Amino acid sequence: QVQVVESGGGVVQEGGSLRLSCTASELSFTWRAMAWFRQVPGAEREWISCIKWNDSIKDYADSVKGRFTVSRDMEKNTLFLQMNTRKPNDTAMYYCAVQPKYTPCQRLNIEYWGRGTQVTVSS
């Protein structure tokens, strides 16, 4: 069965950097837009980034724009989220999201979700 798995979470100092990865078993990311979300307890899950299947188009939420970078390695079937200049309010559970094939970046159109990886920013 399909399993989408995030990795790279942990604790980082305020202003520091961290890189998350997302991979999947029994699923190719080819022809799929990919997205990152995050969520804190008691809040709605927040969309933060999306990348087109061919890496040509990227989009970011205002809260992370200029600090986070989404990328993908098609050969390794891996999605990345580089998080720089981290702030305390970046603390959250981060989720990798896989869209249906042939769809553009759409925040509410998700076919598969990862289990999430916790990221904590200390201050």
Side-chain angles (χ1 to χ4, degrees):
Q1 60 181 8
V2 173
Q3 287 188 313
V4 181
V5 181
E6 304 91 340
S7 62
V11 180
V12 64
Q13 288 280 98
E14 183 178 3
S17 299
L18 197 66
R19 183 173 64 251
L20 304 182
S21 299
C22 174
T23 60
S25 63
E26 305 295 331
L27 177 69
S28 173
F29 295 162
T30 303
W31 297 106
R32 298 177 182 271
M34 305 286 293
W36 287 99
F37 290 75
R38 67 184 182 185
Q39 187 173 30
V40 299
E44 296 289 328
R45 187 166 295 187
E46 176 191 16
W47 174 90
I48 58 172
S49 185
C50 183
I51 183 170
K52 191 179 178 181
W53 69 269
N54 64 357
D55 201 20
S56 65
I57 298 176
K58 302 175 183 179
D59 198 10
Y60 300 92
D62 290 341
S63 60
V64 305
K65 189 174 184 179
R67 300 187 298 116
F68 291 9
T69 302
V70 63
S71 62
R72 63 195 302 166
D73 186 329
M74 299 303 298
E75 180 180 349
K76 297 181 179 180
N77 200 48
T78 304
L79 178 73
F80 301 99
L81 183 67
Q82 179 68 43
M83 303 178 288
N84 298 327
T85 59
R86 301 218 62 190
K87 302 177 180 179
N89 61 3
D90 290 329
T91 295
M93 184 74 74
Y94 285 73
Y95 296 90
C96 175
V98 186
Q99 294 190 198
K101 285 185 176 180
Y102 315 121
T103 61
C105 285
Q106 297 178 354
R107 304 176 186 182
L108 302 179
N109 189 12
I110 304 300
E111 184 172 355
Y112 301 102
W113 289 96
R115 295 179 176 85
T117 184
Q118 179 67 40
V119 175
T120 300
V121 180
S122 62
S123 62

